[in-house]
Amino acid sequence: METLLLDSNTWLLVLTGAGVSAESGVPTFRGMNGLWEDQPVEQVASPEGFAKDPLRVWRFYSQRRAGAAGVSPNPGHDALVAWERHLGDRFLLATQNVDGLHSRAGSQRVVEMHGNLFKTRCSNDECKRAPFEDTTVYAEGTVPGCKDCGSLLRPHIVWFGEYLDPTDLERIQDFSLRAASSGGRFVFLAAGTSGAVYPAAGMVDQVRGAGGETWLVNLDPAENSRRFQHSVQGKSGEVLPKLGRLV
Ligand code: BV8
């Protein structure tokens, strides 16, 4: 298996998806055939889905909170922590996962592009209440209300059809600009992602456009596999610990 050199000249931007949490026991979207209760996830995880049936949406996220609370990071998460310790500020981890397992593994330089399962906010954009930590698994049939304005509370998650937080996109853009103009080697590695959801799936093209080197570690071919220069097929929990050559 070819290895990925991580030396003092290397800047590394990592993108992870549901596949990296699969070996921890978190179901992937593909694994669920993209369906939840026979409904396309895009419809549950969307403002329209919440407006139509907030009970169903809170059932979806409460079940995932219960599931994610009972699992632990795996060797794939741990390998990325070791790479970060080795590269320091020449490392950034952008994740599509909302399960919080990267932070629990010890990753520091993490951008949760799609939000976090264990945060909640008021659904009323006028309400001044800030998003807050919330591990509550709400009982069947309950939709929590905001103590400040009485509106419905919602998971602090980026749903389909919603814009990502501009500060998160800026952090990724800023890191990429510094890496590309550093005179060093700019590397992008995507792991455990099917390359189906944008803007995350388009990051490989941006890095290539900036002259960066691109790697994919995935169990199955991804929708954007052909856009990567290096591809290692396998389980991220087995491949990542062996892939990085820390020099
Ligand atoms: C937006 C939070 C502006 C919710 C999520 C351009 C073209 C086409 C469509 C669009 C486009 N731009 C925007 C869109 C629309 C949309 C989109 O991309 N739709 C797709 C379906 C076509 N994007 C958006 O809406 C984004 N917002 O663009 O705003 C805008 C606004 C209005 C209109 C237009 C634009 C917001 C996207 C974020 C949505 N929220 N998550 C929640 O989690 O509940 S996305 C969610 O799905 C995940 O976060 C993740 O991003 C995605 C699932 O993908 P993966 O993580 O890759 O998981 P998947 O199961 O698919 O694949 C797992 C892979 O792992 C597999 O390949 C498998 O082989 C592999 N694997 C399995 N086990 C292992 C493994 N690999 C290694 N080891 C293993 N052990």
Side-chain angles (χ1 to χ4, degrees):
M1 180 182 84
E2 58 179 333
T3 58
L4 171 60
L5 172 65
L6 301 175
D7 62 5
S8 60
N9 194 33
T10 304
W11 291 69
L12 178 61
L13 174 61
V14 175
L15 172 70
T16 61
V20 167
S21 293
E23 291 151 271
S24 295
V26 180
T28 68
F29 290 72
R30 301 273 135 163
M32 297 191 290
N33 302 326
L35 290 180
W36 190 78
E37 290 187 347
D38 309 324
Q39 191 182 4
V41 167
E42 289 92 44
Q43 287 171 16
V44 179
S46 68
E48 298 78 18
F50 187 71
K52 191 158 134 273
D53 190 345
L55 265 176
R56 173 194 278 265
V57 172
W58 267 114
R59 196 163 54 243
F60 178 51
Y61 286 99
S62 290
Q63 276 190 358
R64 290 174 66 191
R65 278 184 179 176
V71 301
S72 302
N74 65 63
H77 296 103
D78 301 337
L80 296 174
V81 172
W83 295 3
E84 179 183 357
R85 292 224 173 92
H86 182 67
L87 295 172
D89 286 339
R90 287 180 282 109
F91 176 95
L92 185 67
L93 171 54
T95 186
Q96 301 167 82
N97 301 342
V98 296
D99 55 34
L101 287 175
H102 284 301
S103 303
R104 279 178 52 199
S107 289
Q108 307 285 320
R109 298 169 179 83
V110 182
V111 178
E112 294 182 312
M113 301 171 73
H114 296 163
N116 185 292
L117 201 46
F118 299 104
K119 286 188 180 162
T120 292
R121 73 169 190 261
C122 181
S123 63
N124 165 12
D125 295 337
E126 311 312 309
C127 178
K128 297 281 172 286
R129 187 178 183 183
F132 55 95
E133 301 291 327
D134 181 14
T135 58
T136 317
V137 174
Y138 291 97
E140 183 65 38
T142 61
V143 173
C146 176
K147 67 177 178 49
D148 291 14
C149 76
S151 305
L152 300 184
L153 293 178
R154 56 163 284 176
H156 185 51
I157 287 209
V158 179
W159 283 332
F160 288 92
E162 292 187 323
Y163 289 92
L164 277 60
D165 182 333
T167 49
D168 291 339
L169 294 175
E170 267 153 39
R171 266 185 81 190
I172 298 168
Q173 196 62 21
D174 173 53
F175 179 87
S176 300
L177 284 174
R178 281 188 294 123
S181 58
S182 67
R185 195 167 124 263
F186 181 17
V187 178
F188 172 70
L189 181 137
T193 184
S194 60
V197 172
Y198 288 78
M203 288 168 67
V204 59
D205 307 304
Q206 283 157 10
V207 173
R208 285 196 72 161
E213 190 183 304
T214 55
W215 291 70
L216 176 66
V217 174
N218 216 49
L219 189 57
D220 311 291
E223 293 192 14
N224 57 1
S225 287
R226 284 181 312 288
R227 281 136 65 194
F228 289 85
Q229 292 145 317
H230 306 268
S231 188
V232 182
Q233 197 151 353
K235 291 186 171 184
S236 50
E238 295 164 6
V239 170
L240 294 179
K242 292 192 298 241
L243 181 68
R245 194 151 48 84
L246 281 57
V247 175

